[in-house]
Amino acid sequence: MPGHFEALPGGGAAVALDDVEISIIRSLAVQLLELIGPGPAGDAPEDPLAELFTEGPSEPPADPVLRRLFPDAYGDPEGAPDPRRAEEEKAYAAEFRRYTENDLRAGKRDNALAVIRSLDALTPAGDGGAVLELSTEDSRCWLSALNDLRLAIGSRLEITEEDDTDALYRLPDEDPRKPMVMAYLWLGSLQETLVSTLLP
């Protein structure tokens, strides 16, 4: 179990984490929450039906990490835009974003909060670490949050292809990106083993 998730009998997953690992994941989840931003709680209408139809932004975020977390729904993000359809796709993307981004942000916030709360609820073991046990539902929240964290870090590291990841393994220890790279690779390992616990 150390360093990777294992399936629990009856569903769910468990992983042994030391204090440093707990601190890193919690810190990254908090930073993700800060990046996504607060929900519309303060200025939301009191009428739940009206809140359901509250419109979100129609323009893509300026921050490249947020653009990666909330990409346009139309167009090929990696291909050359078709000039004949560019304006039409931009209009469709803006309309789609207006009605979906608030919910997407809320879901990502909920997943990051689930990670923080489950880490805060851990009971330390004698060696300073703890065993994190997740229900199947909590595992799904963690899986989504780990994916978002990797997307965020990958965006900061400008990872766009698998070849970029291979190059990261060869970074010298003195490279200032090395700690972020190590976190990216470690979160990927956690994500992969968590996925395997959810497979039938």
Side-chain angles (χ1 to χ4, degrees):
M1 185 186 316
H4 63 274
F5 279 98
E6 293 182 2
L8 289 173
V15 63
L17 299 170
D18 63 32
D19 286 343
V20 173
E21 292 168 332
I22 292 168
S23 176
I24 289 170
I25 297 172
R26 191 183 191 289
S27 174
L28 290 172
V30 168
Q31 290 176 55
L32 182 63
L33 278 176
E34 292 170 352
L35 182 66
I36 293 170
D43 55 352
E46 292 184 18
D47 178 2
L49 186 59
E51 187 175 349
L52 184 65
F53 293 101
T54 300
E55 293 184 5
S58 59
E59 292 296 319
D63 186 303
V65 174
L66 288 175
R67 276 200 310 273
R68 187 88 179 261
L69 291 172
F70 304 103
D72 276 338
Y74 291 86
D76 182 359
E78 296 177 7
D82 181 348
R84 296 168 296 174
R85 301 199 59 210
E87 284 306 311
E88 181 183 12
E89 287 180 353
K90 186 176 178 183
Y92 287 152
E95 193 73 3
F96 188 82
R97 184 179 295 279
R98 180 179 294 123
Y99 293 108
T100 61
E101 187 166 312
N102 283 346
D103 287 341
L104 290 173
R105 284 180 182 261
K108 291 180 186 302
R109 269 193 299 274
D110 289 346
N111 292 330
L113 281 170
V115 167
I116 293 167
R117 288 180 181 133
S118 59
L119 292 175
D120 288 348
L122 286 176
T123 304
D127 58 359
V131 175
L132 173 70
E133 293 189 358
L134 302 174
S135 66
T136 302
E137 182 180 340
D138 288 338
S139 293
R140 290 191 180 99
C141 292
W142 264 74
L143 192 57
S144 294
L146 288 172
N147 186 61
D148 289 341
L149 290 172
R150 291 192 79 238
L151 283 174
I153 295 171
S155 181
R156 290 285 187 243
L157 291 170
E158 299 178 351
I159 296 172
T160 56
E161 298 179 10
E162 189 62 36
D163 291 344
D164 297 336
T165 307
D166 294 340
L168 294 177
Y169 281 104
R170 297 187 296 275
L171 281 180
D173 289 342
E174 59 273 12
D175 192 301
R177 296 172 295 169
K178 189 72 171 193
M180 205 184 316
V181 167
M182 298 307 293
Y184 177 81
L185 297 172
W186 173 58
L187 291 174
S189 173
L190 284 177
Q191 184 181 16
E192 185 178 335
T193 58
L194 184 54
V195 166
S196 69
T197 70
L198 293 169
L199 296 175

